[in-house]
Amino acid sequence: MPRDHRPAKSIRVLLAEDQGMMRGALALLLGLEADIEVVAQIGTGDAIVGAALESRPDVALLDIELPGVSGLDAAARLRDEVPDCRVLILTTFGRPGYLRRAMEAGAAGFLVKDGPVEELAEAIRRVLTGETVIDPALAAVALSAGPNPLTARECDVLNASVDGATVADIATKLHLSESTVRNYLSSAIGKTGTRNRMAAMREARQQGWL
């Protein structure tokens, strides 16, 4: 819709999505809403806070898995640095752990990408009024799944296990002793009910704990 047909005060939206085609399509569809204006389009997590400080959006629509800083980490930074901006997480991965982490980071909503754009536009309007908007099916799963059993350090060690990193590599990266790394890995494997650290990392990611 032409800009001159918009209300005097449109809802200003920052859109962070790493896939260019998806980002462009969402921006186009949201731009057709008479009361919504996409004021910034971001492809990496590192650029979110700077773009928000510059464009001053009312709502930040964030994917989770972004290059650099994740959408969840960016949400926490926006809460501290751009407190007037409401955050709505939009992701392909409807994982219970992600929902819990998003709420802990101060997000006002959490939706999966398979819904119609009309629902997304309505969610943007609702979070701006102070509501919390969560995909109902995901909310039910999250309640039944329980909290993340892993400690912050166990998560750090599992995250550092990617690409075949050795115990020595992990110890150096995290400034820990090798025996401490082994203890954390053993504990994480036990809590995830898996047989080795790679399986533990996969299970933790599937649950949204990492």
Side-chain angles (χ1 to χ4, degrees):
M1 178 175 292
R3 286 291 304 277
D4 58 351
H5 287 179
R6 293 182 183 278
K9 181 66 171 70
S10 295
I11 302 171
R12 298 170 60 82
V13 173
L14 178 148
L15 174 60
E17 161 65 54
D18 64 325
Q19 297 182 25
M21 186 175 295
M22 173 68 76
R23 184 170 66 247
L26 279 173
L28 178 63
L29 291 170
L30 289 173
L32 294 175
E33 299 291 322
D35 59 341
I36 293 176
E37 179 183 7
V38 178
V39 296
Q41 297 183 47
I42 309 300
T44 65
D46 299 329
I48 290 173
V49 173
L53 288 169
E54 181 177 348
S55 62
R56 291 293 172 179
D58 301 304
V59 177
L61 187 60
L62 309 182
D63 191 7
I64 290 180
E65 298 195 354
L66 295 166
V69 175
S70 75
L72 297 175
D73 291 334
R77 291 183 59 191
L78 286 173
R79 176 190 56 198
D80 297 334
E81 299 185 44
V82 195
D84 292 336
C85 177
R86 302 279 282 172
V87 172
L88 179 59
I89 298 293
L90 181 66
T91 182
T92 304
F93 305 101
R95 297 169 181 167
Y98 278 169
L99 173 57
R100 289 181 176 274
R101 290 168 61 194
M103 296 299 102
E104 290 169 0
F110 193 106
L111 298 175
V112 292
K113 290 180 180 176
D114 59 0
V117 71
E118 292 81 9
E119 287 186 8
L120 175 59
E122 185 59 26
I124 290 171
R125 298 181 186 105
R126 289 172 62 191
V127 298
L128 191 58
T129 66
E131 290 187 54
T132 298
V133 181
I134 299 173
D135 180 273
L138 181 58
V141 173
L143 287 173
S144 64
N148 179 2
L150 301 174
T151 66
R153 262 314 192 188
E154 288 165 355
C155 289
D156 290 341
V157 169
L158 286 180
N159 274 320
S161 298
V162 297
D163 301 326
T166 65
V167 169
D169 293 334
I170 299 169
T172 299
K173 182 177 181 179
L174 298 180
H175 307 290
L176 299 171
S177 70
E178 292 186 25
S179 61
T180 298
V181 168
R182 290 191 182 93
N183 288 339
Y184 282 135
L185 287 172
S186 177
S187 178
I189 290 167
K191 289 179 179 179
T192 55
T194 54
R195 294 186 176 184
N196 56 59
R197 59 174 167 152
M198 297 310 296
M201 181 177 65
R202 287 193 295 271
E203 176 64 18
R205 284 187 170 175
Q206 181 60 37
Q207 293 295 329
W209 297 333
L210 297 183

